[in-house]
Amino acid sequence: MKKIVVELGERSYPIVIGSGLFSSLLSGSSLQSGEVVMLVTDDNIASIYLDFVCKSLSDFGVSVDQLVISSGESYKSLSMFEYIITELLKKRHNRNVILIAFGGGVIGDLVGFTAATYQRGVRFIQVPTTLLAQVDASIGGKTGVNHALAKNMIGVIYQPISVIINLDFLYTLPSREFSSGLAEVIKYGIAFDSDFFAWLECNIENILNLEVSSLFYCVRRCCELKSFVITNDEHDQGSGVRALLNLGHTYAHAIESYFKYSQEWLHGESVSVGILMAANLSCMLGYLCDVDLKRIRSLLSRAGLPISPPKTMEIGDYLSYMIRDKKNISDDLCLILPVSIGHARVCTNIAHRLVKESIRGILGDM
């Protein structure tokens, strides 16, 4: 078991990473015997793990309530947020309740947003079950829901009191979902750590095969990098380092919004294409070299991720969503671009013409 602390003063919290007995991970968290929790999960996770986790919590001495909702990005909505609030009120939960987000990034964002707003704020714990959530979405306190016109436009930064990562949950994750999470893993290497990127190039097949030591190091390193970022720039201000986590995401959110958050394009699949478009733009601007672009494309492909954009989207479709991105000021696009493997920068006032060319360049590779 490994414990990483996100250092935020009085709001510091542990990330506990391990496998095997779930109760041992609970003992390393901020949860205490005698607490009252409301566990929220989706129907996919509930069918496999709900009884096991609820029993582990009960054996730990916690009073457990539970709520199962439908799975999918389309349910990260205001209507589902209202439904969870209604259930909390019906069950007469007060400010002492601890919400547990048991699932992927959708559950984590939705439950975290609920915790931030229910009775002006209650505690919550992240128990991520997907690779994407374990390495990225569960850490840092970004919570919220989607709007039909743009992703993640409604939300707040609200930190959990613990993140409990059980690697065993990944063994039942569908291969497509697992590869989707690898887009965020690769993002860390591109934006922050060239040595980690090189390690991924050597070990990507081991990770895909769920080799224990490689998987553990992969998740641990991502959590270390994310913890460093949050500690230094919790609210996306100051150093601006947190903005770099959005590498590829402005393009990606356009794809997800276009497909109305359906399963046709998963978040990580969209991020993969978005990273390539951002890298292509960086090459056009003279920052990223062709060799690094080829390394990025190769690793994404080896991870089982798409390197070609959706065939049904036209170039204009991207811009109509990208101009609504929350990082923008007025109609000026703000994009995160890799300048070399291990380094990225925030680029502002990007001309729409250049963005279209960066997309057209990837289309030309199809």
Side-chain angles (χ1 to χ4, degrees):
M1 187 173 70
K2 173 71 175 179
K3 181 183 288 189
I4 299 165
V5 178
V6 181
E7 298 286 357
L8 294 171
E10 293 181 353
R11 292 172 293 102
S12 297
Y13 57 92
I15 305 168
V16 184
I17 310 168
S19 60
L21 292 175
F22 188 68
S23 57
S24 66
L25 300 181
L26 289 173
S27 65
S29 73
S30 302
L31 192 64
Q32 301 293 322
S33 177
E35 302 274 18
V36 176
V37 306
M38 163 73 97
L39 183 147
V40 184
T41 190
D42 66 45
D43 46 13
N44 286 338
I45 299 299
S47 64
I48 306 173
Y49 293 116
L50 182 58
D51 290 344
F52 161 72
V53 170
C54 285
K55 184 179 186 303
S56 296
L57 288 165
S58 295
D59 291 345
F60 190 72
V62 169
S63 176
V64 186
D65 205 347
Q66 59 185 259
L67 182 62
V68 179
I69 65 175
S70 299
S71 61
E73 185 81 31
S74 61
Y75 292 98
K76 199 172 89 173
S77 63
L78 282 172
S79 59
M80 187 56 70
F81 159 75
E82 184 178 15
Y83 171 71
I84 298 174
I85 293 287
T86 299
E87 291 302 306
L88 284 165
L89 290 170
K90 284 181 177 179
K91 296 171 184 291
R92 298 183 178 179
H93 285 296
N94 58 31
R95 288 183 179 179
N96 291 325
V97 69
I98 298 176
L99 301 188
I100 295 182
F102 180 43
V106 170
I107 289 290
D109 283 5
L110 181 60
V111 175
F113 185 52
T114 305
T117 53
Y118 183 64
Q119 299 196 20
R120 297 190 175 93
V122 298
R123 294 168 294 167
F124 86 107
I125 291 173
Q126 292 270 19
V127 183
T129 59
T130 66
L131 180 62
L132 189 151
Q134 291 188 354
V135 301
D136 192 76
S138 65
I139 304 163
K142 280 194 174 180
T143 72
V145 295
N146 297 328
H147 189 279
L149 295 179
K151 184 172 179 176
N152 292 336
M153 277 295 179
I154 306 164
V156 64
I157 292 178
Y158 188 74
Q159 301 295 344
I161 62 170
S162 294
V163 178
I164 303 172
I165 297 175
N166 188 344
L167 299 177
D168 291 354
F169 293 141
L170 300 179
Y171 293 113
T172 54
L173 193 65
S175 59
R176 184 186 174 201
E177 291 275 359
F178 189 87
S179 287
S180 178
L182 285 172
E184 298 287 359
V185 171
I186 293 169
K187 174 196 75 178
Y188 282 109
I190 298 170
F192 299 107
D193 190 340
S194 59
D195 289 340
F196 182 52
F197 187 93
W199 181 87
L200 288 170
E201 289 179 306
C202 295
N203 291 276
I204 193 67
E205 282 77 22
N206 289 338
I207 296 169
L208 287 166
N209 290 326
L210 302 178
E211 194 273 317
V212 176
S213 61
S214 297
L215 187 59
F216 182 83
Y217 176 75
C218 174
V219 173
R220 190 198 84 192
R221 185 60 186 145
C222 290
C223 290
E224 289 171 343
L225 289 167
K226 184 70 178 279
S227 176
F228 171 82
V229 168
I230 302 309
T231 297
N232 285 277
D233 188 15
E234 181 184 4
H235 294 282
D236 237 343
Q237 297 171 348
S239 68
V241 67
R242 183 161 187 164
L244 303 182
L245 294 168
N246 289 304
L247 172 63
H249 282 58
T250 303
Y251 293 98
H253 289 170
I255 296 172
E256 292 180 275
S257 298
Y258 176 85
F259 286 102
K260 303 186 186 305
Y261 315 115
S262 70
Q263 294 292 100
E264 193 164 351
W265 274 79
L266 300 179
H267 175 69
E269 294 169 341
S270 303
V271 168
S272 175
V273 171
I275 287 173
L276 278 178
M277 290 177 174
N280 190 46
L281 177 57
S282 186
C283 284
M284 291 167 48
L285 293 172
Y287 301 142
L288 190 70
C289 68
D290 288 338
V291 172
D292 283 352
L293 177 60
K294 289 177 182 177
R295 288 177 68 192
I296 291 169
R297 181 188 292 112
S298 174
L299 184 56
L300 290 168
S301 178
R302 289 171 60 200
L305 288 159
I307 55 174
S308 298
K311 295 180 180 179
T312 57
M313 284 187 75
E314 298 181 359
I315 292 176
D317 294 326
Y318 289 87
L319 266 296
S320 65
Y321 291 105
M322 291 173 73
I323 60 175
R324 299 191 187 104
D325 189 87
K326 58 184 177 294
K327 295 184 295 298
N328 298 335
I329 300 175
S330 185
D331 285 338
D332 295 328
L333 289 175
C334 176
L335 297 173
I336 313 304
L337 302 183
V339 296
S340 64
I341 290 178
H343 299 279
R345 69 168 59 164
V346 179
C347 295
T348 57
N349 300 322
I350 303 293
H352 293 192
R353 171 184 58 83
L354 293 175
V355 175
K356 290 179 180 178
E357 286 299 318
S358 70
I359 299 168
R360 188 174 288 112
I362 300 299
L363 288 170
D365 292 338
M366 294 176 64

